[in-house]
Amino acid sequence: MAALRAKVVSSIGWTRAFLAIAAGSLSALAFAPFFASPVLFFTLPVFIWLIDASSGWRQAATSGWLFGFGYFFFSLFWVGEAFLVEADKFAWLIPFAITLLPAGLALYWAAAAATAQRFWPRDQSSGDVARIFVFAISLAAFEWLRGHLFTGFPWNLPGYALTYPLPLMQSAAIFGSYALTAIALVVFAAPLVILGDSRERLSRQTVLRICAFSLLPIGLLFGYGSWRLAEPQAVVPGVKLRIVQPSVPQREKWMPQFQRRIFDDHIALSLQAPDGTKDALAGVTHLIWPEAAMPFFPLESREALDILASVVPSGTTLVTGALRHDPNLVPGQPVPTGTRALNSILAFDEHADVVAIYDKIKLVPFGEYLPIEPMLSAIGLQKLTYGRGSFSAGEVPRPLMSIPGLPPVLGLVCYEVLFPGTAVQGSERPGLIINVTNDGWFGNTIGPYQHFYQARVRAVEEGTPLVRAANNGVSAVIDPYGRVLHELLLNVRGSIDSALPASVSPPIYARAGDWMLVLVLVLFAGFAAGIRRSTR
């Protein structure tokens, strides 16, 4: 390993740049749908060795940026699919979207590498184990910033590498994804870095001890998860869910000529059981449709409301993603100044009266609103989603929904489910998370699977079941341990009938939040200081 480290440290120019990008790119294989997390045992040491080879913070930042660009490019290349939905308008933006987004996110990794380098050992030949903890502290802190600054985008946090398979996912209930990121960076980087620092041939016993440094924490987390999964899972009595996944092609979703067909398709799928037999929602207490299920503003369509009132039987509540105006508009009238467009979840009773509302608060930049809209719209840019003008954000802090027959509901629209620690924003705890989404934007790529997997981790962090309704992949019922009880995969058209799993007592992370990250970083700082003190 010392020879491998020497080759990385001695690399210069394009060779060094290629090593950084290649190692970052391969790191993306650690996450859904590949779950090849052992690759990080080889790629993260390369990151540390590149910092070893840096003569100052600027060179470290360059290496960090190149590594991060490879990581985010191969994690997020699928965003380009969204620009093909209306290719005549947006296809020209694909090269910018698939390069500028990774380039921007990689700046966090550049800053992390530069910050770590300032605390790096002066004698690079001495082999300083403490720098592994310094590296983890710096990158984990900047990953937390990535999830919070400029609306945040915590996609594929390195901590997710310690959440597969299912027993390991239970560690999110203790630490949360950000603290797991710090732990993962140490666990995966340590063995080869320590072996590479040795200038002498090590005995087999020593090598095994070094490997145990990483494998023991993973084993402990796996053991805890196995014990936790042995707990029996209860269900909420008297609840029968039906989730509809229509798989409407995104190219047709907002075309006026398809509006009625799409609406009727949701109705037809709702009125038949998953086996195809017509049961007119017999026994179903809650019918759940995906994000913006009706490709119009339903509260402004008397015809649509009348149809819902005739279809939804007594004792059934329809919970659906929907667009709405605030205040509601009169059909055919111009939109008054000050009217807000909202991406919402609406709950309708059997009379098609609205009984609960949640308005999305985390909006997608360029997807649902244009940053600095006056300037960008003046040069012809517009958001990707339906309608001119930007959507508005709902009430903050995010309120829970009170839906008859269900425990308190946390509504999350689309990528709102990505944000660890900030999903629940009030003092009241939810008993259910309903996530409506539409991953049809991203075609048959890895994006929808990554989105779905991160939603599962939210259920574990909050100790709350999660019901996911997607226009296209992946719709599912997930229990508070992250187990998928029922699912409809990408490009599958149909429905799911399911009981509702009960929530569990709020786990440590649900109560402590990202103070768990602070705790882990403080411990790591103590380890680093102790190691350096003992070395002196």
Side-chain angles (χ1 to χ4, degrees):
M1 289 305 155
L4 179 61
R5 177 186 181 276
K7 288 184 178 180
V8 174
V9 169
S10 62
S11 63
I12 58 173
W14 288 106
T15 301
R16 180 172 174 163
F18 173 79
L19 277 174
I21 294 175
S25 302
L26 288 172
S27 298
L29 295 175
F31 309 99
F34 309 108
F35 302 113
S37 54
V39 72
L40 297 179
F41 283 115
F42 302 94
T43 58
L44 290 179
V46 171
F47 199 163
I48 289 177
W49 292 335
L50 289 170
I51 300 176
D52 284 345
S54 300
S55 58
W57 68 267
R58 290 182 180 87
Q59 197 171 19
T62 300
S63 295
W65 185 88
L66 291 168
F67 191 103
F69 180 81
Y71 179 85
F72 291 115
F73 181 86
F74 281 94
S75 292
L76 294 165
F77 68 89
W78 46 266
V79 300
E81 285 280 336
F83 295 83
L84 293 174
V85 172
E86 295 184 81
D88 56 322
K89 294 181 181 178
F90 300 114
W92 66 276
L93 289 169
I94 291 177
F96 302 98
I98 65 175
T99 56
L100 292 181
L101 178 60
L105 296 177
L107 291 174
Y108 289 99
W109 290 38
T115 302
Q117 200 276 336
R118 300 303 293 263
F119 297 92
W120 227 241
R122 294 182 180 179
D123 181 6
Q124 301 290 354
S125 63
S126 64
D128 178 14
V129 174
R131 76 191 192 283
I132 301 171
F133 293 101
V134 170
F135 167 75
I137 292 168
S138 182
L139 186 51
F142 276 95
E143 283 294 83
W144 185 90
L145 291 175
R146 176 165 72 91
H148 290 79
L149 296 183
F150 311 113
T151 77
F153 189 58
W155 194 274
N156 271 7
L157 296 168
Y160 288 120
L162 278 181
T163 62
Y164 184 86
L166 186 61
L168 281 181
M169 189 184 289
Q170 308 313 303
S171 58
I174 300 176
F175 297 104
S177 298
Y178 290 117
L180 278 179
T181 290
I183 295 169
L185 293 172
V186 170
V187 163
F188 288 111
L192 285 193
V193 170
I194 296 173
L195 290 172
D197 286 345
S198 175
R199 301 296 180 267
E200 301 175 357
R201 184 178 178 84
L202 301 176
S203 67
R204 180 179 298 179
Q205 189 176 24
T206 301
V207 171
L208 290 176
R209 285 199 190 108
I210 293 171
C211 292
F213 183 88
S214 288
L215 297 180
L216 180 60
I218 294 175
L220 291 173
L221 293 176
F222 192 94
Y224 165 75
S226 299
W227 168 81
R228 192 169 188 260
L229 288 170
E231 292 290 318
Q233 177 58 60
V235 298
V236 177
V239 176
K240 181 182 179 182
L241 308 173
R242 176 164 295 170
I243 304 164
V244 169
Q245 178 170 295
S247 288
V248 176
Q250 193 59 39
R251 288 178 177 82
E252 300 177 1
K253 176 75 174 176
W254 299 109
M255 293 183 179
Q257 64 268 34
F258 295 121
Q259 286 186 0
R260 182 56 188 264
R261 191 198 72 188
I262 292 169
F263 180 62
D264 290 343
D265 199 30
H266 280 79
I267 297 290
L269 287 171
S270 301
L271 294 177
Q272 65 184 28
D275 62 5
T277 59
K278 293 192 178 297
D279 65 359
L281 292 167
V284 173
T285 59
H286 297 86
L287 173 65
I288 303 175
W289 288 358
E291 180 184 10
M294 293 166 274
F296 48 84
F297 289 82
L299 298 182
E300 297 160 24
S301 171
R302 187 67 258 171
E303 181 183 8
L305 294 176
D306 288 342
I307 292 172
L308 290 179
S310 67
V311 166
V312 177
S314 177
T316 300
T317 301
L318 169 63
V319 183
T320 178
L323 306 182
R324 75 181 190 95
H325 283 117
D326 180 30
N328 289 336
L329 302 181
V330 177
Q333 296 298 313
V335 180
T337 301
T339 301
R340 302 191 306 153
L342 299 154
N343 189 358
S344 306
I345 300 176
L346 305 179
F348 293 94
D349 65 13
E350 66 267 26
H351 306 296
D353 292 328
V354 176
V355 295
I357 296 176
Y358 165 69
D359 300 316
K360 185 178 184 182
I361 65 172
K362 279 278 189 183
L363 301 175
V364 180
F366 299 97
E368 293 172 309
Y369 75 97
L370 280 182
I372 52 174
E373 183 175 11
M375 184 176 72
L376 294 182
S377 61
I379 62 174
L381 290 181
Q382 56 183 289
K383 62 183 176 64
L384 288 173
T385 50
Y386 170 73
R388 299 288 297 183
S390 294
F391 284 101
S392 297
E395 178 185 347
V396 179
R398 179 183 286 120
L400 299 185
M401 301 176 72
S402 180
I403 299 176
L406 293 178
V409 172
L410 173 65
L412 297 174
V413 179
C414 192
Y415 93 141
E416 288 186 308
V417 79
L418 294 179
F419 293 83
T422 60
V424 180
Q425 297 186 346
S427 58
E428 186 182 6
R429 291 291 309 167
L432 168 64
I433 299 172
I434 294 181
N435 176 215
V436 298
T437 189
N438 178 16
D439 288 347
W441 286 98
F442 307 114
N444 193 21
T445 66
I446 63 175
Y449 296 104
Q450 292 178 351
H451 193 187
F452 173 61
Y453 186 79
Q454 292 170 77
R456 289 177 60 190
V457 178
R458 292 297 84 71
V460 177
E461 288 175 343
E462 299 298 340
T464 306
L466 187 145
V467 174
R468 194 169 193 261
N471 168 56
N472 189 10
V474 177
S475 297
V477 176
I478 301 162
D479 78 1
Y481 301 100
R483 290 179 289 217
V484 179
L485 306 183
H486 305 278
E487 66 180 346
L488 289 171
L489 296 177
L490 197 63
N491 300 321
V492 175
R493 181 177 177 276
S495 63
I496 292 171
D497 279 4
S498 176
L500 174 62
S503 60
V504 297
S505 298
I508 293 173
Y509 181 72
R511 287 176 274 144
D514 289 332
W515 286 108
M516 295 304 297
L517 171 64
V518 174
L519 174 62
V520 170
L521 296 188
V522 169
L523 287 174
F524 282 4
F527 293 158
I531 290 168
R532 285 187 172 168
R533 195 160 43 244
S534 65
T535 301
R536 295 195 196 99

